Amino acid sequence: EGNPFQGVLFAGLMIKNGVAKLLEFNIRFGDPECQPLCERIDSDLLHVLASCAAGRLSGTEVRLKNNTAVCVVMATRGYPGDYPKHTPIRGVHHAANMPNVTVYHAGTEAGPPGERGAYTSVGGRVLGVTALGATIAEAQATAYAAVDAIDWPDGFCRRDIGWGALEPRSS
């Protein structure tokens, strides 16, 4: 259509019974789907993005870590409908300091001054708790252990992330 595109195109797929269905295309790095990808990049991401913007991506090596990643989104109870704002979240630093864990903030603001690791929710999808592992099962277990280290009574997450990849495949 005469609109050249330079960037990252993410295809959101739902796979059921071995059949893929396209849900969406995204070009943003803020989506939770991008967080596991970012954790696996073993190259200088700034260099990769600058090369892409300059049209020189074909000469740029993009290395990935030889592992897997799982992201569990923590959302405010009630999301995607009405949900409370400014609810306290504690213990994020405990989760973020666990080995192979990164906690991405999407809807937080700093909590009370002087209270280390305290935040306040200001959105629906609030935290992306992302973990690396040698296997999906290991990454999943690490991600959920990190989620459980966070004290947020008004938050919730799905407890089935990654299970589809762990289910035995029938031949």
Side-chain angles (χ1 to χ4, degrees):
E1 297 178 6
N3 298 309
F5 174 77
Q6 286 177 225
V8 177
L9 181 64
F10 172 83
L13 303 174
M14 179 65 71
I15 302 172
K16 185 174 182 180
N17 298 325
V19 177
K21 178 180 178 183
L22 177 65
L23 299 178
E24 64 184 351
F25 286 113
N26 282 320
I27 58 171
R28 303 177 304 168
F29 270 96
D31 291 320
E33 297 89 352
C34 290
Q35 293 160 4
L37 298 174
C38 288
E39 288 303 304
R40 292 193 59 224
I41 294 174
D42 204 22
S43 300
D44 179 350
L45 182 58
L46 179 59
H47 175 72
V48 172
L49 294 175
S51 297
C52 180
R56 298 187 314 266
L57 189 57
S58 64
T60 303
E61 180 183 6
V62 179
R63 294 178 312 280
L64 295 178
K65 296 172 186 165
N66 190 23
N67 56 14
T68 189
V70 169
C71 178
V72 176
V73 172
M74 294 189 74
T76 307
R77 288 198 191 284
Y79 178 84
D82 292 334
Y83 54 87
K85 293 181 179 64
H86 307 289
T87 63
I89 307 168
R90 292 182 173 80
V92 174
H93 67 290
H94 294 302
N97 286 326
M98 294 173 69
N100 298 316
V101 171
T102 302
V103 179
Y104 290 88
H105 292 252
T108 61
E109 61 184 22
E115 191 172 337
R116 182 171 179 248
Y119 296 91
T120 301
S121 68
V122 292
R125 290 192 302 182
V126 175
L127 299 169
V129 181
T130 306
L132 292 169
T135 64
I136 292 172
E138 182 181 313
Q140 179 195 50
T142 302
Y144 281 118
V147 164
D148 292 340
I150 297 171
D151 177 17
W152 184 24
D154 289 302
F156 77 100
C157 69
R158 289 179 39 184
R159 292 284 174 169
D160 63 346
I161 304 301
W163 285 113
L166 295 172
E167 293 175 356
R169 304 275 187 232
S170 57
S171 331

